[in-house]
Amino acid sequence: MYYWRVDEFDGAATYKGGVWSFTTLGAVTGPNPADGAIDVKPSVVLKWDAGAVAASHEVYFGSDADAVKNATKASPEYKGPKAMGEESYAPGILALNATYYWRLMRSTASSR
């Protein structure tokens, strides 16, 4: 995702403009459940729309936000790759009243 802003200068003062954003092709979209979702069934299956130039997606899942954010393929939060056409991950039955986090990384044929 990229962010940009246009500021105006009238010779005496600078006026900050609004911030706009856009996402380039290749980004994973449509995460389900969405960020911040509540009352998700404990038998949820995570789903997403594939990135336009992805060869596969790497799945990271866990109950610690920082651990999921910083996880590598050697971390317990790493749940493995999902090939194109397999844009889902079933984490099993989850604990009630618990918060979970997930992250997807796009893999391209050239990054293998």
Side-chain angles (χ1 to χ4, degrees):
M1 177 160 300
Y2 292 92
Y3 300 90
W4 60 293
R5 180 181 83 199
V6 176
D7 295 343
E8 295 179 25
F9 180 69
D10 67 4
T14 299
Y15 305 92
K16 292 184 179 181
V19 176
W20 296 294
S21 65
F22 64 91
T23 303
T24 59
L25 281 176
V28 173
T29 60
N32 186 12
D35 187 29
I38 57 172
D39 295 330
V40 175
K41 292 181 182 181
S43 58
V44 67
V45 174
L46 309 177
K47 298 179 181 179
W48 61 92
D49 297 325
V53 295
S56 65
H57 297 94
E58 307 293 335
V59 180
Y60 298 85
F61 180 85
S63 59
D64 181 294
D66 288 333
V68 171
K69 177 182 176 183
N70 299 314
T72 67
K73 288 183 179 181
S75 305
E77 292 78 16
Y78 177 64
K79 303 305 176 186
K82 288 293 191 170
M84 295 303 292
E86 297 177 4
E87 289 80 23
S88 67
Y89 170 71
I93 302 299
L94 304 176
L96 296 174
N97 298 314
T99 302
Y100 293 92
Y101 304 88
W102 60 302
R103 173 173 68 101
L104 299 166
M105 293 291 296
R106 168 183 50 109
S107 296
T108 60
S110 62
S111 66
R112 289 184 175 177

